Amino acid sequence: MTHNKEPIPGTVMFDGTQAMKGYALNKMCYSFNNKQNREEFLADEEAYMDKYGLNDEQKQAVRDKVVLDLIAAGGNIYYLAKFAGMYGLNVQDVGAQQTGMSVEDFKEKLRRAGE
Amino acid sequence: MARIVGGLTTSHIPAIGNAIARKMFEDPYWKPFFDGYPPVREWLDEVKPDVAVVIYNDHGLNFFLDKQPTFAIGAAPEYRNDDEGWGIPTIAPFKGDPAFSWHLIDNLVHDDFDLVTCQEMLVDHGFTVPMQLFWPNYADIGIKTVPLVINTVQHPLPSPRRCYNLGKSLGKAIESYPEDLKVVILGTGGLSHQLDGQRAGFINKTFDRMCMEKIVDDPEHFLDMSIRDLVVEAGAQGAEFILWLAMRGALTGKVTARHSNYHIPISNTASGLLCLENAA
Ligand SMILES: [Fe+2]
């Protein structure tokens, strides 16, 4: 069987390469399942990122809260959702940010998909 | 002997758990979604399954990338839910059936499906949301469960064919269990959605409709698709359709769709609900 790895526009396949690249970032985000960890992060983001060994690209993406940058730095959307959740952002806010739309327009786009 | 009474499919996104916690059943946004479930609950009231085998994917509660199994199965007396980080209230634990789980493990491994076995396992929204939708009173009626996890987090994911074949082995394993259990199988997740990248918000109604139809009478239609094909057609997270295929593989008899509901959107997702009866 041929194994087609041709990229899909607007989509990063979270594969072994991404999983290695993003390990520290995803591990930090996974730790946000725990309330104490969330509080520790919010109290001192820089110290918490150092504790998990994030690289500079990952740290900057975390500071900026730019989801496309977080993905480029190896972030996986399921772990990133825990990070976004700390700021009260849901998947529609995250979708709007990545597509450069307002949240209202993004929701409208979803609604239209049902027509 | 144990008998498979049917299969159910439903989306399992966290926003549903949130809407349940806030009792938004009559809210205009949510009503068309929630209205699909009462007929399925009536069917379940009639059939009264003893055990639900729940096929889902863990989204980063029980498993992390340090150890990411392709297939994993619970063999615990109880499964607890826990904080997933975004504020959905943690709900009551679910009963397990370790003897039944071990029977499934013995048979599936014998059939070349080498599962990771878990005597402790936290269940996330992929498991809890469908359970709450189908059995809002699950804690009172004490329905037993077997969680069956398929990796949809980290590529490579198992192929549609592999998941369907896992379902087939699962069906055989269930039907060889000597106790008179009535078993229902849940295939959760989907349908089309994509959360990440510039393609976020991707939904494909035409493909979803075809999935809802073909999974009833012609599930083998999907077996030559690759995961990449599924991502193209259904979005990055729409690849969760492999969980539906695993469920469908386990239905060995004459399959009839008793109820269905398809609604766009809930959160970023096209939601698909099916109640499939499995006659001997
Ligand atoms: Fe999911």
Side-chain angles (χ1 to χ4, degrees):
Chain A
M1 202 173 88
T2 56
H3 194 50
N4 181 353
K5 289 207 168 191
E6 201 186 313
I8 300 166
T11 307
V12 176
M13 290 289 220
F14 187 79
D15 58 7
T17 305
Q18 291 301 107
M20 284 195 290
K21 188 177 179 185
Y23 193 76
L25 171 62
N26 290 316
K27 189 168 177 177
M28 181 182 84
C29 292
Y30 177 64
S31 81
F32 297 147
N33 279 334
N34 180 290
K35 184 160 182 270
Q36 242 175 333
N37 291 339
R38 297 196 290 271
E39 286 167 358
E40 190 184 328
F41 171 82
L42 291 170
D44 188 345
E45 298 187 7
E46 296 297 325
Y48 201 83
M49 289 195 284
D50 280 335
K51 185 170 151 182
Y52 279 84
L54 272 63
N55 64 27
D56 290 341
E57 183 193 3
Q58 293 166 341
K59 283 181 180 174
Q60 197 53 46
V62 168
R63 287 182 202 116
D64 297 343
K65 301 181 186 60
V66 173
V67 179
L68 290 176
D69 292 352
L70 288 160
I71 291 170
N76 174 285
I77 194 68
Y78 292 128
Y79 304 110
L80 296 178
K82 299 173 194 293
F83 168 69
M86 281 195 296
Y87 299 96
L89 302 174
N90 63 31
V91 291
Q92 286 160 12
D93 300 311
V94 167
Q97 194 205 68
Q98 294 176 98
T99 51
M101 299 169 95
S102 71
V103 177
E104 275 322 302
D105 287 352
F106 187 73
K107 285 184 178 170
E108 180 58 16
K109 166 188 148 89
L110 290 163
R111 202 190 57 74
R112 286 234 183 94
E115 281 170 358
Chain B
M1 299 297 276
R3 190 164 66 82
I4 299 167
V5 293
L8 307 172
T9 71
T10 177
S11 301
H12 64 207
I13 57 170
I16 303 169
N18 205 17
I20 293 173
R22 292 159 65 192
K23 298 193 167 38
M24 296 174 81
F25 311 117
E26 296 299 320
D27 178 276
Y29 181 85
W30 285 99
K31 193 172 163 48
F33 168 77
F34 282 120
D35 278 356
Y37 291 84
V40 182
R41 287 182 209 133
E42 278 166 33
W43 180 81
L44 287 167
D45 275 346
E46 263 171 53
V47 177
K48 290 192 181 43
D50 304 295
V51 185
V53 176
V54 184
I55 304 171
Y56 72 108
N57 64 297
D58 179 88
H59 308 72
L61 178 65
N62 190 70
F63 294 113
F64 177 61
L65 305 174
D66 59 339
K67 304 171 197 75
Q68 187 67 64
T70 298
F71 301 120
I73 188 167
E78 183 180 270
Y79 303 99
R80 284 186 310 105
N81 176 221
D82 208 344
D83 189 351
E84 293 185 55
W86 45 51
I88 303 177
T90 299
I91 59 171
F94 296 82
K95 256 194 206 167
D97 186 343
F100 182 52
S101 285
W102 281 110
H103 169 85
L104 299 181
I105 293 162
D106 279 343
N107 282 274
L108 285 165
V109 175
H110 182 77
D111 237 2
D112 296 338
F113 285 96
D114 309 316
L115 305 141
V116 170
T117 57
C118 306
Q119 290 202 60
E120 285 188 53
M121 194 179 206
L122 293 172
V123 287
D124 81 350
H125 64 268
F127 175 102
T128 60
V129 164
M131 287 301 295
Q132 283 183 290
L133 285 168
F134 293 128
W135 295 274
N137 59 341
Y138 71 88
D140 302 324
I141 62 170
I143 182 159
K144 293 178 177 179
T145 59
V146 178
L148 177 50
V149 172
I150 299 181
N151 166 38
T152 68
V153 171
Q154 176 183 271
H155 292 268
L157 315 184
S159 70
R161 182 181 298 278
R162 179 76 175 151
C163 294
Y164 185 75
N165 287 340
L166 169 71
K168 277 178 134 176
S169 287
L170 173 69
K172 268 199 298 181
I174 292 170
E175 287 177 338
S176 69
Y177 193 56
E179 267 185 53
D180 286 331
L181 287 183
K182 283 180 282 184
V183 181
V184 67
I185 306 181
L186 273 57
T188 75
L191 285 167
S192 61
H193 64 304
Q194 177 151 345
L195 304 176
D196 49 338
Q198 291 91 339
R199 199 173 178 240
F202 176 83
I203 283 179
N204 186 347
K205 188 174 172 177
T206 313
F207 182 73
D208 288 345
R209 287 275 187 210
M210 192 270 283
C211 289
M212 299 272 297
E213 214 183 283
K214 292 236 184 263
I215 198 150
V216 183
D217 292 324
D218 184 19
E220 304 203 350
H221 172 84
F222 301 99
L223 299 193
D224 286 328
M225 286 184 85
S226 66
I227 290 293
R228 188 183 179 282
D229 294 337
L230 264 186
V231 171
V232 169
E233 295 293 342
Q237 285 74 35
E240 287 177 344
F241 186 63
I242 56 176
L243 308 169
W244 290 37
L245 286 171
M247 174 284 295
R248 183 61 184 83
L251 306 184
T252 46
K254 187 178 160 11
V255 174
T256 320
R258 291 286 303 260
H259 299 286
S260 76
N261 189 35
Y262 178 74
H263 176 66
I264 299 173
I266 44 161
S267 185
N268 284 24
T269 303
S271 81
L273 167 68
L274 276 175
C275 172
L276 305 178
E277 194 168 57
N278 183 51

